[in-house]
mmCIF file of all heavy atoms in Angstrom:
data_model
loop_
_atom_site.group_PDB
_atom_site.id
_atom_site.type_symbol
_atom_site.label_atom_id
_atom_site.label_comp_id
_atom_site.label_asym_id
_atom_site.label_seq_id
_atom_site.Cartn_x
_atom_site.Cartn_y
_atom_site.Cartn_z
ATOM 1 N N ALA A 27 110.407 94.760 6.664
ATOM 2 C CA ALA A 27 111.001 93.703 5.836
ATOM 3 C C ALA A 27 112.400 93.337 6.341
ATOM 4 O O ALA A 27 112.774 92.152 6.370
ATOM 5 C CB ALA A 27 111.065 94.161 4.382
ATOM 6 N N LEU A 28 113.177 94.337 6.745
ATOM 7 C CA LEU A 28 114.505 94.065 7.290
ATOM 8 C C LEU A 28 114.417 93.185 8.533
ATOM 9 O O LEU A 28 115.186 92.224 8.694
ATOM 10 C CB LEU A 28 115.202 95.392 7.630
ATOM 11 C CG LEU A 28 115.709 96.219 6.450
ATOM 12 C CD1 LEU A 28 116.071 97.620 6.909
ATOM 13 C CD2 LEU A 28 116.912 95.541 5.793
ATOM 14 N N ALA A 29 113.491 93.514 9.414
ATOM 15 C CA ALA A 29 113.341 92.733 10.639
ATOM 16 C C ALA A 29 112.872 91.318 10.344
ATOM 17 O O ALA A 29 113.359 90.345 10.936
ATOM 18 C CB ALA A 29 112.376 93.445 11.585
ATOM 19 N N GLN A 30 111.919 91.175 9.431
ATOM 20 C CA GLN A 30 111.408 89.846 9.092
ATOM 21 C C GLN A 30 112.512 88.959 8.509
ATOM 22 O O GLN A 30 112.637 87.788 8.866
ATOM 23 C CB GLN A 30 110.257 89.973 8.099
ATOM 24 C CG GLN A 30 108.972 90.501 8.718
ATOM 25 C CD GLN A 30 107.896 90.773 7.682
ATOM 26 O OE1 GLN A 30 108.187 91.073 6.521
ATOM 27 N NE2 GLN A 30 106.643 90.695 8.100
ATOM 28 N N GLN A 31 113.304 89.515 7.607
ATOM 29 C CA GLN A 31 114.356 88.740 6.960
ATOM 30 C C GLN A 31 115.504 88.408 7.908
ATOM 31 O O GLN A 31 116.223 87.437 7.697
ATOM 32 C CB GLN A 31 114.896 89.507 5.751
ATOM 33 C CG GLN A 31 113.936 89.611 4.590
ATOM 34 C CD GLN A 31 113.601 88.263 3.990
ATOM 35 O OE1 GLN A 31 114.461 87.398 3.845
ATOM 36 N NE2 GLN A 31 112.333 88.068 3.639
ATOM 37 N N SER A 32 115.670 89.235 8.959
ATOM 38 C CA SER A 32 116.808 89.066 9.867
ATOM 39 C C SER A 32 116.478 88.266 11.116
ATOM 40 O O SER A 32 117.385 87.931 11.890
ATOM 41 C CB SER A 32 117.324 90.448 10.299
ATOM 42 O OG SER A 32 117.679 91.233 9.183
ATOM 43 N N TRP A 33 115.220 87.942 11.323
ATOM 44 C CA TRP A 33 114.782 87.378 12.603
ATOM 45 C C TRP A 33 115.551 86.106 12.948
ATOM 46 O O TRP A 33 115.501 85.108 12.241
ATOM 47 C CB TRP A 33 113.284 87.092 12.569
ATOM 48 C CG TRP A 33 112.727 86.897 13.959
ATOM 49 C CD1 TRP A 33 112.479 85.717 14.578
ATOM 50 C CD2 TRP A 33 112.395 87.928 14.893
ATOM 51 N NE1 TRP A 33 112.001 85.929 15.847
ATOM 52 C CE2 TRP A 33 111.939 87.285 16.069
ATOM 53 C CE3 TRP A 33 112.434 89.310 14.851
ATOM 54 C CZ2 TRP A 33 111.532 87.997 17.199
ATOM 55 C CZ3 TRP A 33 112.023 90.021 15.965
ATOM 56 C CH2 TRP A 33 111.573 89.365 17.126
ATOM 57 N N ARG A 34 116.324 86.184 14.038
ATOM 58 C CA ARG A 34 117.104 85.061 14.588
ATOM 59 C C ARG A 34 118.040 84.416 13.561
ATOM 60 O O ARG A 34 118.376 83.232 13.657
ATOM 61 C CB ARG A 34 116.179 84.001 15.206
ATOM 62 C CG ARG A 34 115.411 84.524 16.421
ATOM 63 C CD ARG A 34 114.761 83.405 17.213
ATOM 64 N NE ARG A 34 114.013 83.893 18.349
ATOM 65 C CZ ARG A 34 114.551 84.230 19.528
ATOM 66 N NH1 ARG A 34 115.857 84.127 19.705
ATOM 67 N NH2 ARG A 34 113.790 84.672 20.507
ATOM 68 N N ARG A 35 118.520 85.211 12.610
ATOM 69 C CA ARG A 35 119.484 84.701 11.634
ATOM 70 C C ARG A 35 120.892 85.129 12.030
ATOM 71 O O ARG A 35 121.084 86.188 12.625
ATOM 72 C CB ARG A 35 119.171 85.231 10.232
ATOM 73 C CG ARG A 35 118.002 84.545 9.566
ATOM 74 C CD ARG A 35 117.809 85.038 8.142
ATOM 75 N NE ARG A 35 118.976 84.815 7.284
ATOM 76 C CZ ARG A 35 119.007 85.140 6.002
ATOM 77 N NH1 ARG A 35 117.953 85.719 5.429
ATOM 78 N NH2 ARG A 35 120.098 84.909 5.282
ATOM 79 N N PRO A 36 121.910 84.344 11.675
ATOM 80 C CA PRO A 36 123.293 84.744 11.955
ATOM 81 C C PRO A 36 123.780 85.766 10.933
ATOM 82 O O PRO A 36 123.213 85.897 9.839
ATOM 83 C CB PRO A 36 124.061 83.425 11.814
ATOM 84 C CG PRO A 36 123.263 82.657 10.797
ATOM 85 C CD PRO A 36 121.820 83.001 11.060
ATOM 86 N N ALA A 37 124.826 86.479 11.289
ATOM 87 C CA ALA A 37 125.433 87.428 10.360
ATOM 88 C C ALA A 37 126.233 86.664 9.313
ATOM 89 O O ALA A 37 127.225 86.002 9.642
ATOM 90 C CB ALA A 37 126.335 88.395 11.113
ATOM 91 N N ASP A 38 125.786 86.699 8.070
ATOM 92 C CA ASP A 38 126.533 86.077 6.982
ATOM 93 C C ASP A 38 126.332 86.897 5.716
ATOM 94 O O ASP A 38 125.547 87.847 5.686
ATOM 95 C CB ASP A 38 126.121 84.618 6.769
ATOM 96 C CG ASP A 38 124.624 84.439 6.518
ATOM 97 O OD1 ASP A 38 123.981 85.381 6.002
ATOM 98 O OD2 ASP A 38 124.089 83.365 6.839
ATOM 99 N N VAL A 39 127.055 86.557 4.674
ATOM 100 C CA VAL A 39 127.029 87.351 3.445
ATOM 101 C C VAL A 39 125.642 87.349 2.822
ATOM 102 O O VAL A 39 125.188 88.362 2.283
ATOM 103 C CB VAL A 39 128.081 86.822 2.450
ATOM 104 C CG1 VAL A 39 127.930 87.512 1.093
ATOM 105 C CG2 VAL A 39 129.490 87.059 2.992
ATOM 106 N N ALA A 40 124.941 86.222 2.903
ATOM 107 C CA ALA A 40 123.605 86.150 2.314
ATOM 108 C C ALA A 40 122.668 87.149 2.976
ATOM 109 O O ALA A 40 121.916 87.865 2.301
ATOM 110 C CB ALA A 40 123.051 84.733 2.436
ATOM 111 N N LEU A 41 122.699 87.216 4.296
ATOM 112 C CA LEU A 41 121.850 88.174 4.992
ATOM 113 C C LEU A 41 122.297 89.602 4.686
ATOM 114 O O LEU A 41 121.461 90.482 4.463
ATOM 115 C CB LEU A 41 121.894 87.924 6.501
ATOM 116 C CG LEU A 41 121.066 88.898 7.350
ATOM 117 C CD1 LEU A 41 119.603 88.883 6.946
ATOM 118 C CD2 LEU A 41 121.224 88.582 8.838
ATOM 119 N N ARG A 42 123.604 89.836 4.668
ATOM 120 C CA ARG A 42 124.109 91.179 4.362
ATOM 121 C C ARG A 42 123.621 91.651 2.991
ATOM 122 O O ARG A 42 123.229 92.824 2.836
ATOM 123 C CB ARG A 42 125.646 91.182 4.414
ATOM 124 C CG ARG A 42 126.296 92.482 3.944
ATOM 125 C CD ARG A 42 125.997 93.619 4.895
ATOM 126 N NE ARG A 42 126.545 94.874 4.389
ATOM 127 C CZ ARG A 42 125.896 95.717 3.587
ATOM 128 N NH1 ARG A 42 124.654 95.429 3.195
ATOM 129 N NH2 ARG A 42 126.461 96.828 3.180
ATOM 130 N N GLN A 43 123.634 90.775 2.033
ATOM 131 C CA GLN A 43 123.204 91.165 0.696
ATOM 132 C C GLN A 43 121.694 91.380 0.639
ATOM 133 O O GLN A 43 121.215 92.277 -0.071
ATOM 134 C CB GLN A 43 123.667 90.132 -0.324
ATOM 135 C CG GLN A 43 125.189 90.107 -0.463
ATOM 136 C CD GLN A 43 125.693 89.127 -1.494
ATOM 137 O OE1 GLN A 43 124.954 88.257 -1.956
ATOM 138 N NE2 GLN A 43 126.964 89.236 -1.856
ATOM 139 N N THR A 44 120.956 90.595 1.401
ATOM 140 C CA THR A 44 119.507 90.809 1.479
ATOM 141 C C THR A 44 119.210 92.170 2.106
ATOM 142 O O THR A 44 118.353 92.921 1.618
ATOM 143 C CB THR A 44 118.845 89.695 2.311
ATOM 144 O OG1 THR A 44 119.023 88.443 1.652
ATOM 145 C CG2 THR A 44 117.355 89.963 2.487
ATOM 146 N N ILE A 45 119.910 92.492 3.172
ATOM 147 C CA ILE A 45 119.718 93.776 3.837
ATOM 148 C C ILE A 45 120.079 94.931 2.902
ATOM 149 O O ILE A 45 119.379 95.950 2.839
ATOM 150 C CB ILE A 45 120.557 93.819 5.133
ATOM 151 C CG1 ILE A 45 119.912 92.912 6.177
ATOM 152 C CG2 ILE A 45 120.695 95.244 5.668
ATOM 153 C CD1 ILE A 45 120.767 92.692 7.390
ATOM 154 N N GLY A 46 121.166 94.760 2.155
ATOM 155 C CA GLY A 46 121.544 95.791 1.199
ATOM 156 C C GLY A 46 120.482 96.018 0.137
ATOM 157 O O GLY A 46 120.152 97.164 -0.195
ATOM 158 N N ARG A 47 119.946 94.931 -0.371
ATOM 159 C CA ARG A 47 118.897 95.054 -1.393
ATOM 160 C C ARG A 47 117.660 95.737 -0.825
ATOM 161 O O ARG A 47 117.090 96.645 -1.453
ATOM 162 C CB ARG A 47 118.534 93.660 -1.924
ATOM 163 C CG ARG A 47 117.348 93.661 -2.894
ATOM 164 C CD ARG A 47 117.038 92.265 -3.386
ATOM 165 N NE ARG A 47 116.760 91.324 -2.307
ATOM 166 C CZ ARG A 47 115.595 91.244 -1.670
ATOM 167 N NH1 ARG A 47 114.588 92.066 -1.987
ATOM 168 N NH2 ARG A 47 115.409 90.334 -0.727
ATOM 169 N N LEU A 48 117.234 95.329 0.359
ATOM 170 C CA LEU A 48 116.056 95.936 0.971
ATOM 171 C C LEU A 48 116.296 97.411 1.281
ATOM 172 O O LEU A 48 115.393 98.242 1.136
ATOM 173 C CB LEU A 48 115.679 95.184 2.249
ATOM 174 C CG LEU A 48 115.131 93.770 2.052
ATOM 175 C CD1 LEU A 48 114.987 93.060 3.390
ATOM 176 C CD2 LEU A 48 113.794 93.810 1.321
ATOM 177 N N GLY A 49 117.508 97.738 1.705
ATOM 178 C CA GLY A 49 117.822 99.136 1.970
ATOM 179 C C GLY A 49 117.753 99.987 0.719
ATOM 180 O O GLY A 49 117.227 101.114 0.746
ATOM 181 N N ARG A 50 118.265 99.472 -0.392
ATOM 182 C CA ARG A 50 118.207 100.224 -1.657
ATOM 183 C C ARG A 50 116.773 100.362 -2.157
ATOM 184 O O ARG A 50 116.385 101.408 -2.694
ATOM 185 C CB ARG A 50 119.098 99.541 -2.705
ATOM 186 C CG ARG A 50 120.584 99.688 -2.405
ATOM 187 C CD ARG A 50 121.454 99.148 -3.521
ATOM 188 N NE ARG A 50 121.406 97.700 -3.623
ATOM 189 C CZ ARG A 50 122.172 96.873 -2.905
ATOM 190 N NH1 ARG A 50 123.026 97.370 -2.022
ATOM 191 N NH2 ARG A 50 122.099 95.569 -3.066
ATOM 192 N N GLU A 51 115.970 99.318 -1.957
ATOM 193 C CA GLU A 51 114.555 99.424 -2.313
ATOM 194 C C GLU A 51 113.865 100.460 -1.428
ATOM 195 O O GLU A 51 113.003 101.218 -1.895
ATOM 196 C CB GLU A 51 113.879 98.057 -2.166
ATOM 197 C CG GLU A 51 114.334 97.056 -3.217
ATOM 198 C CD GLU A 51 113.799 95.650 -2.951
ATOM 199 O OE1 GLU A 51 113.102 95.462 -1.922
ATOM 200 O OE2 GLU A 51 114.078 94.744 -3.767
ATOM 201 N N GLY A 52 114.277 100.524 -0.160
ATOM 202 C CA GLY A 52 113.739 101.537 0.744
ATOM 203 C C GLY A 52 114.100 102.945 0.287
ATOM 204 O O GLY A 52 113.283 103.868 0.396
ATOM 205 N N GLU A 53 115.325 103.121 -0.203
ATOM 206 C CA GLU A 53 115.728 104.428 -0.730
ATOM 207 C C GLU A 53 114.826 104.843 -1.880
ATOM 208 O O GLU A 53 114.431 106.014 -1.988
ATOM 209 C CB GLU A 53 117.175 104.377 -1.205
ATOM 210 C CG GLU A 53 118.203 104.404 -0.094
ATOM 211 C CD GLU A 53 119.618 104.516 -0.641
ATOM 212 O OE1 GLU A 53 119.766 104.891 -1.822
ATOM 213 O OE2 GLU A 53 120.571 104.233 0.110
ATOM 214 N N GLN A 54 114.498 103.894 -2.749
ATOM 215 C CA GLN A 54 113.619 104.206 -3.881
ATOM 216 C C GLN A 54 112.230 104.609 -3.394
ATOM 217 O O GLN A 54 111.628 105.553 -3.929
ATOM 218 C CB GLN A 54 113.534 102.996 -4.816
ATOM 219 C CG GLN A 54 114.844 102.664 -5.502
ATOM 220 C CD GLN A 54 114.778 101.390 -6.321
ATOM 221 O OE1 GLN A 54 113.771 100.672 -6.304
ATOM 222 N NE2 GLN A 54 115.845 101.072 -7.035
ATOM 223 N N GLN A 55 111.728 103.921 -2.382
ATOM 224 C CA GLN A 55 110.422 104.274 -1.817
ATOM 225 C C GLN A 55 110.468 105.653 -1.174
ATOM 226 O O GLN A 55 109.530 106.448 -1.304
ATOM 227 C CB GLN A 55 109.996 103.216 -0.793
ATOM 228 C CG GLN A 55 109.722 101.852 -1.398
ATOM 229 C CD GLN A 55 109.592 100.757 -0.356
ATOM 230 O OE1 GLN A 55 109.678 101.011 0.848
ATOM 231 N NE2 GLN A 55 109.403 99.524 -0.811
ATOM 232 N N MET A 56 111.566 105.944 -0.496
ATOM 233 C CA MET A 56 111.748 107.252 0.114
ATOM 234 C C MET A 56 111.767 108.342 -0.950
ATOM 235 O O MET A 56 111.090 109.376 -0.815
ATOM 236 C CB MET A 56 113.055 107.280 0.913
ATOM 237 C CG MET A 56 113.441 108.639 1.474
ATOM 238 S SD MET A 56 115.174 108.685 2.028
ATOM 239 C CE MET A 56 116.026 108.750 0.429
#
């Protein structure tokens, strides 16, 4: 999911927040 959401996107706050959310969801799955 991280790779799909990040594919060829620039570094900006929107992407950073998406990555943070996906990472926290990953922690819950872990």
Side-chain angles (χ1 to χ4, degrees):
L28 286 167
Q30 287 173 332
Q31 290 296 320
S32 303
W33 197 261
R34 295 193 181 279
R35 284 184 59 178
D38 56 27
V39 172
L41 178 58
R42 173 67 184 89
Q43 293 182 346
T44 296
I45 287 170
R47 174 180 57 79
L48 291 172
R50 290 186 290 275
E51 290 172 358
E53 284 187 17
Q54 294 175 354
Q55 294 168 2
M56 173 195 75

